[in-house]
Amino acid sequence: MVKIKKLLAAFVALALLLSICALSGCRGNDKPADSSSAADISESSSQNETPPVSSDTAEPESSEAPVKLTEAELSRWASVQVDPDTATVDKFNITAADGGWSITIHLCDEDDLEEYRGYYENALASEKNADIVTGEKTLGGYTYKTATYTANGQYFGAYFSAFDSPVILPDDFGEFTGIYCYIWMGENSEAVISAIDAVIDTLQIKA
């Protein structure tokens, strides 16, 4: 009996020893992560991030200089504004510097208003004119009946405006009752017509 008790005591002691060793080994594996490795991961992550784009980045300014218009007198009573680099003015004649178009402006008084109205109407009625396109435009405060057409292989236009009431000139110099514009174009294109309209739009009668 004594031997059996000693043997049991030895087994119990051995079991306790094994339990203590096992617990000790588990605790030894519970060490914190290497701080230097964590720092490396953080640095690598920050290097891969794309920096935010600032919304305050200024757009490049346009290199095109603004067009500077110069007033050109047609007569004592009328003027237009043109870019001297693109058009020249000689009395009532305005011509593109590249020769692509020209305008002759007639200021009508009471005596010749019907004459110039006839010029406009004849442009529409003439059998020599083809591809006639008519319309109406308000330019510079005046409303024009407009027509573009082809004659002898060239392109022309006629703009006519009859005023609702005459423009009275100072110092009894008479009055104007309308405007007639005779137009020649090297080509009948939107760009050419826009350039012509831009000039007529600046026409001023100095009353």
Side-chain angles (χ1 to χ4, degrees), residues 75 77-78 92 105-109 112 176 178-180 203 205:
S75 72
W77 308 113
F92 287 91
I105 296 177
H106 300 273
L107 298 178
C108 308
D109 59 24
D112 57 18
F176 291 130
I179 303 170
Y180 177 79
L203 174 62
I205 298 176

Side-chain angles (χ1 to χ4, degrees), residues 161-182:
S161 176
F163 301 159
D164 293 333
S165 57
V167 176
I168 308 299
L169 301 178
D171 302 325
D172 296 326
F173 272 96
E175 60 188 31
F176 291 130
T177 56
I179 303 170
Y180 177 79
C181 302
Y182 176 73

